[in-house]
Amino acid sequence: MRKTILTAGVMALSLVSASVVAAVSNEEAARLGNDLTPIGAERAGGADGRIPAWDGGLSRPGEDVERPVNPFADDEPLYTITHDNLDEHRDRLSPGQIAMFERYDSFYMPVYETRRTSTYPQEIFDLVKQNATEASLVEGGSGLEGFEMAIPFPIPQTGLEVIWNHLTRYRGGKVERLVNQLPVQSNGNFEAVRLREQLVWPEYLQGGRDESADDNILFYFLQQVLAPGRLTGTVLLVHDTIDQVREGRRAWIYNAGQRRVRRAPNVAYDGPGTAADGLRTSDQLDMFNGAPDKYDWELVGKKEMYIPYNNYELLNTDLAYSDIIQPGHENPEYTRYELHRVWHVEATLKEGERMIYSRRSFFIDEDTWTASVIDQYDGRGELWRVSQAYHVQFYGNDVPWMAMESVYDLNNGRYISLGLANEEDEYMDFDIEPRRSDFSTNALRRMGIR
């Protein structure tokens, strides 16, 4: 696989940057696979035994590849957190999660036995160990050098390194999925937006990464709107760059009404999310994506926290979207929370920058580097929106991802859920054979024809 080295111009800038961060030593990296898991989590369990030791995760290669069957269907909740017993659990919840309890009497968290199911393929473990001693941040933290494909900083020293681990975490290398985005009104009404998406890293294209064509490319993303009819034919193409300040995200959109492809510079930062009814920004897809340069990042530390985990019931095809969606939030009956260790990172908007969120609090799962919970604050510093990622281990492919991600607006009672496919015959396909030409503007035109 190709090691990503940024251009000489950017490297020259990094020589005078005071924020260049060096890789860890060989001695520190030797902890990976020993007292740390191969991607940097603590292998040992928690002091009180509620978080178990990591034993390799849940891996069943080739089994139930497209839609995993719930391996814990017989589990019962250990207890349930409600508005009435909230005070007993506040220290293991985010302020945003607490606010959900305080706003909605119907919100609760069924807490189950903690199962550290997450794992990755051995080839990713090997790359991560190599990255530990060779990857570094350059140019004020806006890019990477000496980096290969996934998780550059398994032993992070700063908040920004933790965020880069989330941005680059492994999601199967190449995948096509058919999912739905559901903007939900305060009364529970919704209209499903049906999406076909492809997410591909250059290393997984036919022919592999090309030194010239894929320079500075982290991944390719293609999103096609299949329904409702008024949006059908809209297609979004993104070439996500490794250093988005040196070279901004390349994005194009095909508008079916205009029948033309145009550049889409707003598909970044707090530009409106595609077909999201104003309920999420572009950088809230996948919980958080894109350039981190608008914020100062502080690594607060690690803590134990209740986060959505092993949410296999949300994949159940016996459920309709109307079973899951209700006013204010999804039906808690079909969710599962577990106690896990998370990295806590605070993002504060830099002086002179403009974003709709002045501060963001990230709680990132140690076993996957996924931002599992994010609290978002408005320009006055008031808590505004809460995001949660509902983890699932796709054990047939050794891919931790999510069955659903949601953004809840605490002010108006609306929310958006993305990723549900209960009413679809298709779902996740990790066996696609993508070509570089599939992610060209010509391909965008062809896909956009009604």
Side-chain angles (χ1 to χ4, degrees):
M1 294 189 179
R2 172 194 184 262
K3 188 178 299 178
T4 301
I5 303 292
L6 301 187
T7 66
V10 174
M11 291 179 69
L13 285 173
S14 74
L15 293 176
V16 296
S17 171
S19 57
V20 173
V21 179
V24 302
S25 67
N26 288 326
E27 290 75 18
E28 290 174 295
R31 298 178 60 196
L32 298 170
N34 290 298
D35 66 300
L36 300 179
T37 72
I39 67 160
E42 297 175 46
R43 182 184 289 271
D48 63 2
R50 296 173 64 188
I51 297 176
W54 184 77
D55 63 0
L58 179 62
S59 177
R60 300 174 180 176
E63 182 178 328
D64 298 311
V65 171
E66 183 173 298
R67 194 187 304 261
V69 175
N70 187 357
F72 311 120
D74 294 333
D75 282 7
E76 296 289 339
L78 300 176
Y79 48 90
T80 300
I81 304 174
T82 67
H83 188 276
D84 294 334
N85 64 4
L86 178 60
D87 287 343
E88 301 173 26
H89 303 282
R90 282 180 181 269
D91 61 340
R92 286 173 165 164
L93 297 168
S94 81
Q97 290 176 316
I98 292 170
M100 290 290 290
F101 283 101
E102 294 174 343
R103 195 185 198 291
Y104 302 107
D105 290 338
S106 56
F107 185 74
Y108 62 89
M109 289 183 180
V111 179
Y112 289 77
E113 176 185 351
T114 297
R115 298 183 182 274
R116 297 178 68 180
T117 50
S118 295
T119 191
Y120 290 105
Q122 183 60 49
E123 67 180 52
I124 300 301
F125 291 157
D126 294 341
L127 288 179
V128 170
K129 191 162 188 177
Q130 181 175 320
N131 284 338
T133 58
E134 298 185 4
S136 60
L137 294 174
V138 299
E139 198 188 357
S142 66
L144 303 169
E145 72 169 350
F147 159 70
E148 282 206 58
M149 199 171 67
I151 310 175
F153 308 113
I155 307 176
Q157 311 299 308
T158 68
L160 189 51
E161 290 184 350
V162 174
I163 294 301
W164 271 107
N165 287 344
H166 164 78
L167 294 173
T168 62
R169 74 196 191 282
Y170 180 73
R171 277 154 281 173
K174 55 183 177 68
V175 63
E176 179 174 296
R177 65 177 191 166
L178 183 62
V179 295
N180 287 264
Q181 179 172 261
L182 309 173
V184 184
Q185 306 307 310
S186 58
N187 62 3
N189 290 343
F190 65 90
E191 181 179 39
V193 179
R194 195 165 179 249
L195 304 170
R196 185 179 297 278
E197 299 178 335
Q198 286 190 2
L199 178 65
V200 177
W201 266 248
E203 288 81 358
Y204 291 86
L205 292 170
Q206 293 182 19
R209 180 184 278 272
D210 182 274
E211 293 287 345
S212 176
D214 303 317
D215 176 54
N216 201 30
I217 294 295
L218 179 60
F219 59 74
Y220 295 99
F221 176 70
L222 192 62
Q223 182 186 74
Q224 182 180 18
V225 180
L226 304 179
R230 59 187 169 82
L231 298 175
T232 300
T234 301
V235 190
L236 173 67
L237 171 65
V238 174
H239 296 180
D240 217 39
T241 51
I242 297 170
D243 184 346
Q244 295 195 5
V245 175
R246 162 198 159 198
E247 179 188 16
R249 168 180 284 169
R250 311 169 198 164
W252 300 264
I253 193 164
Y254 179 88
N255 184 290
Q258 299 174 352
R259 292 187 176 273
R260 68 184 181 92
V261 174
R262 58 182 174 83
R263 290 298 296 261
N266 290 334
V267 181
Y269 299 117
D270 58 359
T274 304
D277 200 20
L279 284 167
R280 66 167 176 83
T281 58
S282 287
D283 69 2
Q284 284 182 282
L285 181 65
D286 195 41
M287 296 296 284
F288 178 74
N289 72 87
D293 62 303
K294 300 291 186 182
Y295 292 93
D296 290 318
W297 302 88
E298 177 192 359
L299 180 56
V300 179
K302 290 181 84 170
K303 62 177 293 184
E304 294 184 356
M305 184 171 163
Y306 297 110
I307 59 176
Y309 226 85
N310 293 312
N311 278 267
Y312 291 95
E313 192 61 22
L314 291 173
L315 307 182
N316 191 339
T317 55
D318 290 335
L319 298 177
Y321 303 136
S322 58
D323 295 322
I324 298 170
I325 300 300
Q326 63 180 34
H329 53 82
E330 296 88 2
N331 189 340
E333 177 183 352
Y334 303 117
T335 65
R336 175 181 176 127
Y337 288 79
E338 299 177 0
L339 187 67
H340 286 262
R341 285 185 292 249
V342 298
W343 293 91
H344 179 189
V345 176
E346 287 290 322
T348 305
L349 193 64
K350 291 179 179 178
E351 186 174 352
E353 295 286 0
R354 293 183 178 273
M355 292 277 283
I356 65 171
Y357 301 126
S358 64
R359 180 162 70 92
R360 288 167 157 171
S361 300
F362 288 74
F363 301 93
I364 296 180
D365 171 35
E366 69 167 348
D367 283 330
T368 64
W369 295 109
T370 300
S372 296
V373 177
I374 307 176
D375 296 342
Q376 285 104 172
Y377 295 78
D378 64 19
R380 301 166 299 170
E382 300 292 327
L383 185 61
W384 178 11
R385 288 172 170 169
V386 184
S387 302
Q388 291 199 128
Y390 292 79
H391 164 278
V392 162
Q393 175 72 14
F394 289 87
Y395 47 75
N397 294 84
D398 292 338
V399 178
W401 210 349
M402 53 188 86
M404 174 180 74
E405 57 181 305
S406 300
V407 183
Y408 308 96
D409 192 314
L410 296 169
N411 292 339
N412 61 29
R414 300 166 67 212
Y415 69 99
I416 189 166
S417 297
L418 173 61
L420 293 176
N422 309 74
E423 299 179 18
E424 303 292 346
D425 293 331
E426 302 176 48
Y427 182 34
M428 303 285 282
D429 185 358
F430 292 98
D431 294 326
I432 62 174
E433 297 183 359
R435 301 165 298 178
R436 187 170 288 97
S437 60
D438 296 337
F439 301 95
S440 67
T441 53
N442 287 334
L444 195 65
R445 291 186 183 93
R446 292 193 297 270
M447 293 181 66
I449 297 173
R450 288 180 183 268

